[in-house]
Amino acid sequence: AQSVAQPEDQVNVAEGNPLTVKCTYSVSGNPYLFWYVQYPNRGLQFLLKYITGDNLVKGSYGFEAEFNKSQTSFHLKKPSALVSDSALYFCAVRDVGTGGFKTIFGAGTRLFVKA
Amino acid sequence: GAVVSQHPSRVICKSGTSVKIECRSLDFQATTMFWYRQFPKKSLMLMATSNEGSKATYEQGVEKDKFLINHASLTLSTLTVTSAHPEDSSFYICSASPVLAGDLYNEQFFGPGTRLTVL
């Protein structure tokens, strides 16, 4: 069965510093990986995805993620954090099965960016 | 971009009553929609996969008779919480992907969520 792990409940970073939010996954076939962000009392917003191709994926709001097959990781990164990046971030893996698909989410990592 | 709406955004009901939550894809069609439940400071728990024109597929541990799902059209799915109890209080979120070849690669678009409070 597919699974996603986000080992950090919370990440604190100062504004202007680089940030990393960690994610590891377990899949039986090819991984389809996603990052979403959730602001308070809002639905999730898509940031980026990895399906195939370049290991470094660029997404919205200056975020990027690096797919590492040997480490089964898909860490989210940003070179310079903004206070407005403070939110809840979810890593997800697409579970592709016969007749359909579903997305499995990690537990989420809360990012705090201090001014 | 693709937009998914939910109605209502917030509902308060008495214990024992039923509540219906609507999920609509506003500018695309979706054969499949998903219903999630999010507990405070927790991740999203997939409740069921809603399939247009057929029965929903429920995840293990989710009571299908309590959480009724109807996917009446390619743009509308409804979740009805029947005989609601305080423990059903939660944030319910729906999502959908456009119905095109390559659904497997498309990101899901999420509704803004519905906050249900059962007194």
Side-chain angles (χ1 to χ4, degrees):
Chain A
Q2 327 301 62
S3 66
V4 178
Q6 292 180 244
E8 304 154 314
D9 288 338
Q10 184 172 310
V11 169
N12 298 311
V13 65
E15 188 174 35
N17 284 359
L19 69 87
T20 299
V21 182
K22 296 180 180 178
C23 171
T24 58
Y25 64 90
S26 173
V27 298
S28 56
N30 292 324
Y32 302 136
L33 300 160
F34 302 80
W35 274 101
Y36 291 87
V37 60
Q38 185 182 31
Y39 296 97
N41 295 313
R42 301 280 297 276
L44 276 68
Q45 296 178 34
F46 169 77
L47 280 179
L48 51 80
K49 64 182 177 183
Y50 173 83
I51 303 300
T52 187
D54 290 341
N55 290 341
L56 185 63
V57 179
K58 294 187 181 297
S60 306
Y61 312 121
F63 284 93
E64 57 189 29
E66 186 168 11
F67 170 65
N68 188 315
K69 188 174 183 178
S70 62
Q71 297 185 4
T72 61
S73 67
F74 189 55
H75 301 331
L76 181 70
K77 300 181 179 183
K78 187 172 182 180
S80 178
L82 300 173
V83 172
S84 58
D85 293 330
S86 299
L88 187 58
Y89 290 82
F90 291 100
C91 182
V93 61
R94 178 72 44 92
D95 182 353
V96 178
T98 301
F101 63 95
K102 58 185 178 183
T103 301
I104 307 300
F105 287 84
T109 299
R110 190 164 296 280
L111 173 66
F112 285 102
V113 181
K114 295 180 66 175
Chain B
V3 178
V4 176
S5 70
Q6 277 184 245
H7 178 80
S9 58
R10 185 182 296 269
V11 57
I12 300 173
C13 69
K14 293 182 179 180
S15 185
T17 61
S18 295
V19 174
K20 180 184 286 188
I21 303 170
E22 291 186 349
C23 176
R24 293 182 185 272
S25 55
L26 298 185
D27 50 5
F28 67 97
Q29 294 182 326
T31 52
T32 304
M33 293 183 174
F34 302 90
W35 286 97
Y36 294 86
R37 182 174 178 177
Q38 187 176 28
F39 296 93
K41 300 183 179 180
K42 295 280 189 179
S43 185
L44 282 74
M45 181 191 78
L46 179 64
M47 298 175 65
T49 302
S50 172
N51 304 299
E52 188 269 336
S54 64
K55 293 182 179 180
T57 305
Y58 290 83
E59 295 300 301
Q60 191 173 8
V62 178
E63 299 176 62
K64 61 180 181 181
D65 294 329
K66 180 169 186 62
F67 298 100
L68 300 178
I69 291 173
N70 183 15
H71 197 143
S73 73
L74 286 172
T75 59
L76 172 64
S77 176
T78 60
L79 168 67
T80 301
V81 182
T82 63
S83 186
H85 288 95
E87 57 264 31
D88 298 325
S89 299
S90 194
F91 195 53
Y92 293 87
I93 303 175
C94 73
S95 74
S97 286
V99 55
L100 292 170
D103 264 354
L104 296 175
Y105 312 109
N106 287 336
E107 63 269 26
Q108 291 174 245
F109 297 94
F110 287 81
T114 297
R115 173 78 57 195
L116 170 63
T117 302
V118 184
L119 302 177

